[in-house]
Amino acid sequence: MLGRTANGAYWMARYLERAENTARLIGAGFRMALTRDASMAQEEWKSVITTLGQAKAFEAAYGPDYAGERVWNYLLRDKANPGSVLAQIEAARTNARSVRTALTREVWEAINEAWMVLKDALARPVREGALGQVLAAIRRQATQVRGTFDGTMLRNENYNFTRIGTFIERGDSTARILDVKYYVLLPSLAWVGSSLDNVQWESVLRSVAGERAYRWLNAGSIDPRGIAEFLLLDQRFPRSLHFCVDKLRSNLFGLAHEYGHETEAHELLRSLSTQFHHTTIEQVFESGLHEFIQAFIKANQQVAQAVELDYRFYA
Amino acid sequence: MNHSPLCFDEMFAEDGSVRPAYAGYREWLHGQDAASLRRKGIEAESFFRRTGITFNVYGDDAGEERLIPFDMVPRIISAHEWRKLVKGIEQRVTALNAFLHDIYHRQEIVRAGRVPQRLIADNAAFLPQMLGMAVPGGVYTHIVGIDLVRTGPDEFMVLEDNARTPSGVSYMLENRETMMAMFPELFTKVKVRPVSDYPRRLAKSLAACAPACAGERPTVAVLTPGIYNSAYFEHAFLADQMGAELVEGSDLRVVDGRVAMRTTQGYQPIDVLYRRVDDDYLDPLSFNPASKLGVPGIMDIYRAGGITIANAPGTGIADDKAIYSFMPEIIEFYTGEKPILANVPTWRCSEKDSLAHVLEHLAEMVVKEVHGSGGYGMLIGPTSSKKDVEAFAQKLRAKPDNYIAQPTLALSTVPIFAKSGLAPRHVDLRPFVLVSPKGIDITPGGLTRVALKQGSLVVNSSQGGGTKDSWVLED
């Protein structure tokens, strides 16, 4: 497999995952804003943009006015925003197009269709009444690509590089959501019980599609510590950091098995994985939640960079 | 049914009866209703969009992806007609290869005075770098597209030879797939020779041209200029169907005396490069130094026998329309036979008498640039205004060497599904030919291009032409 092809498959997956995560984050922000007065709602929208690392660019374009409709249109479709969902879907499709020979026809068609459907859905500004539908369409298209990918791809190097892209991106995204909310939520870790913070926590769960799973596991009680544990360390939840690390591990070792040797990326991943296996939520809070998340984001990036180098993504 | 009495219609005879090759199709058609056929047409278009069978447009709408319109009425060729075409094409392609070998070696044909020296030496498509080179397997044109037109029941003529990198074969394959998906019952009723094994035949033919240094299973790669090239879909499609890597210039470099591609596990040598990049961009060290699409040093490796380049650099000279006008002589010179397929009569404007004749009859002729392609820069006398004809005459007088002229042919027609029902439109046919030391292999059928505008003679997709599925019937 060509290094450039591995690179294209990897980025296709990252962009798709990012588009879906952005849609989920907007959905959670929208729900939060509905339960707030106008100025608090603006705070919510600001926090969504901050999580996505786009606050600077947004303010450069529109100033500090975080009106909801402006924010979600900026995040979904603004031409001035190279990180909009539409731009991400386009980037995913361009990457898929450049590596068509590495994908099954069905995967390619699913991505091409996602692009056609969403380009159409995002052709005009999205009004409040249509936002729910648009976000659902983004999630559904991403799900269809994932489904055809799962159902038709040979489990070989192509598959592994694509999945590595998915889980690098997903781990990074969950970590960033937690890290932004962490400041808001910090007091409630000691001082449990305020209903406002419960809403905040629920919104965090919602932005990673984890509210139902968490409630089901915890018989409906909202406990900040439990939620942090769920999102960081639960190996069963498909958007937790630990789950992403496990998946990276299995895909990286799939490559080692196919190629007959390990690389720098395997070393890095092994130590990250060991750390997750031996960490309890008590230890995380003792040494600092923020520090833990920052360390994860950095380690995750190092794995990504090692993969790019080890497998000759660039000339 | 309005069809022009001047043109030969391939489906209907003058008396309105259906010709034998179309009898089975016509019978099936009678059982269909127009509304459901129209629905199928819309289905076909959404199918093409979904699968991304598009071409990129250069110029004003750069970056846009467009569909080539597809018409549902097949173009049908009988087994008997096809047999004759095959003989003619084999003869022509054999002569083309012999000609290319000759002009890059002893130039016997020039010495014999059959083709003028200046047409070779002064031709931009002639590459001195290829002189004296022994190409692997002796093959220059591994893949050829011969453009044929028809003017009567038994009159097929060659309009053009595409000896560089003929495109369109993916449409031949996808058009058939589409027809089979839309009308499966049609194919149980009419026995059509399959085309779907073209990619396998291409892979086999290319592998048979591998250089001596290749192993038992030669590594074949397709070189594309990238996703913004107008034919990118086809490059990806063919690589995918052949199970070959699709490479770009940035993936390749010279390593240990071989051209190698950067894989996830290091550089791996390539034996056969099916390049869809023009000669000029192939090697910045030998040709255009600004090229980023090629591989620095590939020509040295090629000369040393380390790689097969398909088609060989310098084959473009055989595409040249001035050379085309000599094809009857070229065929006779190398095969000792009369051409089975005729050329379209051609006036070389570089010759004084011819120029005078062309200028006098300009309004009735088609004038083409010698090095042009894609239907650009040409004059179609009968459909041009007086002013345009006059302006073209100026150009012609200023640079007569740059043009050839042909009579405006009464191209055959095949019906399309127009809004009002079946309506005749002009067509051509491009069969695809594979050449290897093991022989010449022609896939039964090819790409039929159709001018969708009533009366139009221009079938190029860049000028509003469409395509049809092309059938060769079983015996």
Side-chain angles (χ1 to χ4, degrees):
Chain A
M1 172 180 210
L2 294 177
R4 179 177 53 81
T5 308
N7 185 35
Y10 167 90
W11 278 104
M12 170 196 85
R14 283 200 71 162
Y15 282 122
L16 270 177
E17 182 69 24
R18 198 175 289 177
E20 181 184 349
N21 293 342
T22 304
R24 289 188 188 283
L25 209 52
I26 294 171
F30 183 51
R31 216 186 139 87
M32 279 294 280
L34 287 180
T35 63
R36 294 285 194 273
D37 63 47
S39 77
M40 287 292 279
Q42 290 230 352
E43 278 306 305
E44 280 309 322
W45 285 116
K46 186 175 177 182
S47 126
V48 167
I49 289 217
T50 308
T51 307
L52 292 166
Q54 297 180 359
K56 237 192 205 155
F58 179 84
E59 289 199 11
Y62 297 108
D65 178 11
Y66 286 88
E69 191 159 321
R70 178 170 295 166
V71 171
W72 72 64
N73 275 296
Y74 180 78
L75 292 176
L76 288 173
R77 56 177 298 278
D78 198 319
K79 282 207 168 57
N81 179 10
S84 72
V85 167
L86 188 55
Q88 284 160 7
I89 293 287
E90 256 162 17
R93 182 196 181 248
T94 303
N95 275 288
R97 215 172 157 239
S98 75
V99 302
R100 260 201 72 167
T101 52
L103 304 171
T104 60
R105 183 170 181 142
E106 285 177 49
V107 172
W108 158 250
E109 285 180 14
I111 292 174
N112 196 38
E113 188 184 309
W115 172 70
M116 290 192 297
V117 168
L118 297 178
K119 199 170 60 154
D120 195 45
L122 296 172
R124 285 160 300 282
V126 179
R127 303 283 166 228
E128 189 165 3
L131 181 61
Q133 264 184 337
V134 168
L135 296 177
I138 297 167
R139 290 196 304 268
R140 196 163 46 240
Q141 292 300 328
T143 302
Q144 267 177 26
V145 175
R146 195 163 37 238
T148 49
F149 188 81
D150 188 60
T152 64
M153 288 287 291
L154 197 63
R155 264 44 176 183
N156 64 356
E157 48 190 347
N158 303 355
Y159 179 86
N160 284 315
F161 281 115
T162 312
R163 297 287 277 183
I164 287 169
T166 301
F167 290 107
I168 290 277
E169 183 66 32
R170 188 180 293 176
D172 187 72
S173 164
T174 300
R176 284 178 197 281
I177 290 172
L178 265 174
D179 205 33
V180 168
K181 285 292 176 186
Y182 151 85
Y183 292 104
V184 189
L185 298 167
L186 197 56
S188 70
L189 290 172
W191 192 78
V192 193
S194 131
S195 77
L196 174 72
D197 289 327
N198 281 354
V199 174
Q200 283 275 11
W201 276 118
E202 215 178 302
S203 147
V204 172
L205 284 172
R206 197 173 288 280
S207 63
V208 293
E211 74 277 17
R212 185 194 165 274
Y214 180 81
R215 232 180 287 126
W216 193 76
L217 285 171
N218 295 278
S221 84
I222 294 282
D223 158 35
R225 194 168 281 249
I227 292 173
E229 182 175 22
F230 180 65
L231 297 182
L232 296 177
L233 302 178
D234 199 314
Q235 283 172 276
R236 300 164 298 178
F237 177 56
R239 294 183 175 269
S240 79
L241 303 192
H242 199 168
F243 184 90
C244 294
V245 169
D246 280 350
K247 285 292 171 189
L248 282 177
R249 188 183 160 95
S250 88
N251 291 302
L252 266 171
F253 284 90
L255 286 177
H257 183 71
E258 186 166 354
Y259 292 165
H261 59 89
E262 293 187 2
T263 66
E264 172 81 19
H266 293 87
E267 281 300 308
L268 291 168
L269 205 270
R270 194 176 277 118
S271 81
L272 185 61
S273 181
T274 309
Q275 192 200 342
F276 266 89
H277 273 286
H278 292 104
T279 302
T280 63
I281 196 65
E282 284 71 30
Q283 286 167 326
V284 171
F285 279 115
E286 230 161 78
S287 55
L289 180 58
H290 174 65
E291 285 71 18
F292 181 86
I293 292 170
Q294 284 298 320
F296 169 81
I297 290 175
K298 200 170 156 206
N300 193 44
Q301 271 169 0
Q302 280 169 343
V303 173
Q305 279 159 8
V307 168
E308 291 179 12
L309 276 177
D310 295 346
Y311 294 107
R312 300 168 181 82
F313 279 17
Y314 305 102
Chain B
M1 201 48 241
N2 70 328
H3 74 93
S4 151
L6 297 170
C7 301
F8 175 77
D9 189 81
E10 299 190 13
M11 185 163 175
F12 296 105
E14 285 75 14
D15 62 5
S17 65
V18 68
R19 296 189 197 275
Y22 283 84
Y25 174 73
R26 173 63 189 269
E27 197 180 304
W28 170 86
L29 189 62
H30 266 313
Q32 308 296 310
D33 79 283
S36 86
L37 284 177
R38 237 181 290 284
R39 233 183 355 262
K40 294 271 189 186
I42 295 165
E43 262 172 48
E45 179 167 329
S46 93
F47 169 80
F48 283 125
R49 283 233 183 263
R50 231 181 21 249
T51 49
I53 306 176
T54 55
F55 71 104
N56 298 333
V57 186
Y58 300 134
D60 293 350
D61 303 315
E64 195 190 327
E65 294 168 29
R66 284 206 199 149
L67 294 181
I68 297 186
F70 169 72
D71 177 70
M72 291 182 293
V73 183
R75 199 275 182 82
I76 307 177
I77 296 159
S78 72
H80 165 76
E81 287 164 346
W82 182 248
R83 262 194 301 276
K84 186 179 165 198
L85 290 181
V86 163
K87 281 206 188 106
I89 293 168
E90 279 176 355
Q91 180 197 48
R92 194 164 177 110
V93 170
T94 303
L96 279 173
N97 262 290
F99 170 69
L100 285 163
H101 181 269
D102 186 29
I103 61 158
Y104 287 118
H105 290 83
R106 292 180 47 80
Q107 303 201 342
E108 302 283 3
I109 197 164
V110 176
R111 289 165 201 240
R114 305 288 285 273
V115 171
Q117 169 74 40
R118 66 176 170 80
L119 269 192
I120 311 270
D122 302 345
N123 197 312
F126 177 74
L127 297 182
Q129 291 91 334
M130 291 296 292
L131 278 168
M133 233 197 82
V135 298
V139 178
Y140 284 83
T141 56
H142 307 77
I143 300 123
V144 196
I146 303 286
D147 287 356
L148 301 170
V149 293
R150 187 176 193 179
T151 52
D154 221 11
E155 287 120 74
F156 281 95
M157 284 185 264
V158 177
L159 184 66
E160 230 169 74
D161 303 290
N162 295 278
R164 299 173 207 233
T165 47
S167 62
V169 77
S170 56
Y171 294 98
M172 169 183 88
L173 296 166
E174 289 293 347
N175 287 352
R176 179 64 55 81
E177 288 297 316
T178 306
M179 285 294 281
M180 289 175 64
M182 287 194 300
F183 311 115
E185 74 284 2
L186 184 49
F187 289 84
T188 59
K189 193 171 169 61
V190 184
K191 288 294 162 211
V192 182
R193 292 184 61 185
V195 293
S196 60
D197 59 346
Y198 175 83
R200 194 184 51 77
R201 290 157 90 157
L202 173 61
K204 220 171 105 192
S205 186
L206 288 172
C209 297
C213 59
E216 203 137 293
R217 286 182 59 188
T219 302
V220 177
V222 179
L223 176 63
T224 175
I227 61 168
Y228 300 109
N229 183 269
S230 69
Y232 176 77
F233 161 74
E234 178 159 303
H235 307 161
F237 178 88
L238 287 175
D240 193 39
Q241 298 272 310
M242 287 198 290
E245 288 291 356
L246 179 66
V247 299
E248 295 178 14
S250 65
D251 298 320
L252 304 181
R253 69 154 69 145
V254 171
V255 179
D256 299 331
R258 300 292 308 275
V259 174
M261 55 186 173
R262 193 181 77 253
T263 76
T264 52
Q265 300 180 80
Y267 280 90
Q268 280 175 12
I270 291 171
D271 300 310
V272 181
L273 191 63
Y274 175 22
R275 49 89 178 217
R276 299 290 298 256
V277 165
D278 291 345
D279 286 354
D280 197 32
Y281 295 98
L282 204 48
D283 184 347
L285 301 184
S286 294
F287 308 116
N288 183 349
S291 171
K292 301 233 185 300
L293 304 177
V295 191
I298 189 175
M299 284 301 285
D300 291 337
I301 306 301
Y302 186 48
R303 233 169 268 130
I307 192 167
T308 298
I309 300 177
N311 290 350
T315 53
I317 190 155
D319 273 22
D320 190 278
K321 294 190 179 71
I323 295 290
Y324 162 88
S325 67
F326 287 96
M327 274 312 283
E329 284 95 327
I330 289 172
I331 291 170
E332 272 201 73
F333 187 78
Y334 296 108
T335 67
E337 301 162 3
K338 289 268 172 221
I340 299 169
L341 285 169
N343 254 24
V344 176
T346 302
W347 282 269
R348 295 186 276 268
C349 302
S350 56
E351 292 164 13
K352 223 174 143 202
D353 295 349
S354 299
L355 179 64
H357 173 90
V358 171
L359 284 169
E360 196 177 321
H361 298 91
L362 202 51
E364 301 138 40
M365 302 191 97
V366 175
V367 189
K368 298 175 180 173
E369 284 185 10
V370 173
H371 311 300
S373 70
Y376 293 106
M378 61 191 280
L379 172 83
I380 301 175
T383 61
S384 300
S385 69
K386 219 170 164 183
K387 214 173 108 200
D388 289 345
V389 172
E390 209 28 66
F392 210 92
Q394 298 278 342
K395 286 205 272 185
L396 205 49
R397 277 189 207 97
K399 258 184 114 181
D401 280 11
N402 202 29
Y403 298 95
I404 54 129
Q406 295 168 338
T408 306
L409 297 174
L411 293 189
S412 64
T413 55
V414 174
I416 63 165
F417 270 116
K419 284 209 177 74
S420 54
L422 291 186
R425 292 292 185 271
H426 296 294
V427 293
D428 77 353
L429 175 68
R430 176 181 291 179
F432 293 93
V433 188
L434 301 171
V435 186
S436 80
K438 294 192 172 145
I440 295 175
D441 178 22
I442 308 171
T443 299
L447 178 67
T448 291
R449 298 184 300 176
V450 54
L452 295 174
K453 257 192 292 178
Q454 191 172 3
S456 169
L457 293 166
V458 186
V459 296
N460 302 74
S461 56
S462 49
Q463 314 263 321
T467 68
K468 284 172 167 292
D469 189 15
S470 312
W471 294 5
V472 172
L473 299 182
E474 299 266 12
D475 255 324

